[in-house]
Amino acid sequence: MHGDHGHHGHVHAHGPHDSAGHGAGHSAGDSAGDNAGHGGSHRGGASWRTAAQATLHCLTGCAIGEVLGMVIGTALGLHDGATVALAVALAFLFGYALTIRGVLKAGLTLREALKVALAADTVSILVMEVVDNAIMLAIPGAMDAGLAGPLFWGALAFALAVAFVLTVPVNRWLISRGRGHAVVHAHHH
């Protein structure tokens, strides 16, 4: 997305390299010494750390929406299907909202920010939601345990943890191809 920064003819796509300096500009990734540390090329794919950071960002929004949806649905005594639908809708809402908030700070318009969020988060949130809701439904009694029951909270925490672990490789694959959170990284200077 950036094109050539004019640093030794090196092109940065912001995603396939480790984002330890993310948010701190390009100080670390643009030096000749760091390029040598990367082998002079980013063709090796995204780092696991970058993918885990992107997944953690996604998990934060998903978890807020998921927990809120599960709590509301359980408190209102909604059917499992209605509770899951509410949790999924809120997970997407909060997941997108966190990304939109971040890229708006980079100067994008709301419409541009929405496009970035849709491109960056849709697959990640979808994978996470399928996994964690399938686990919640598969654990006997978890959906009916009630908000005061340790089974409900334990199952939800376990489901979100498994969803995180299974989504990291998906995000790594997306970022290595300039998709997913690579789109967001292109707007953080």
Side-chain angles (χ1 to χ4, degrees):
M1 290 247 165
H2 285 325
D4 188 340
H5 287 293
H7 298 289
H8 315 288
H10 190 72
V11 177
H12 285 276
H14 286 276
H17 68 297
D18 191 310
S19 65
H22 180 78
H26 297 290
S27 60
D30 287 342
S31 71
D34 273 4
N35 287 340
H38 286 295
S41 170
H42 294 313
R43 288 182 216 158
S47 74
W48 285 105
R49 181 177 177 177
T50 299
Q53 288 173 337
T55 307
L56 186 59
H57 171 88
C58 184
L59 178 67
T60 303
C62 285
I64 293 168
E66 185 76 24
V67 169
L68 189 58
M70 289 288 177
V71 167
I72 292 170
T74 302
L76 295 176
L78 298 179
H79 183 271
D80 289 354
T83 298
V84 167
L86 178 61
V88 169
L90 290 175
F92 272 95
L93 177 72
F94 281 95
Y96 289 145
L98 287 179
T99 297
I100 289 169
R101 187 180 125 235
V103 294
L104 282 174
K105 290 179 181 179
L108 272 66
T109 67
L110 182 58
R111 182 180 176 143
E112 292 168 333
L114 180 59
K115 286 180 182 179
V116 168
L118 291 171
D121 293 332
T122 301
V123 173
S124 182
I125 294 172
L126 184 63
V127 170
M128 203 166 284
E129 287 305 297
V130 166
V131 171
D132 75 55
N133 283 293
I135 291 170
M136 282 298 290
L137 291 170
I139 296 174
M143 295 291 289
D144 299 320
L147 299 178
L151 176 60
F152 174 82
W153 294 106
L156 186 55
F158 175 72
L160 289 169
V162 172
F164 174 83
V165 169
L166 295 179
T167 306
V168 169
V170 173
N171 279 329
R172 183 174 187 247
W173 182 83
L174 288 168
I175 293 167
S176 71
R177 280 148 185 79
R179 298 179 181 161
H181 267 258
V183 177
V184 173
H185 289 264
H187 296 286
H188 287 245
H189 296 293

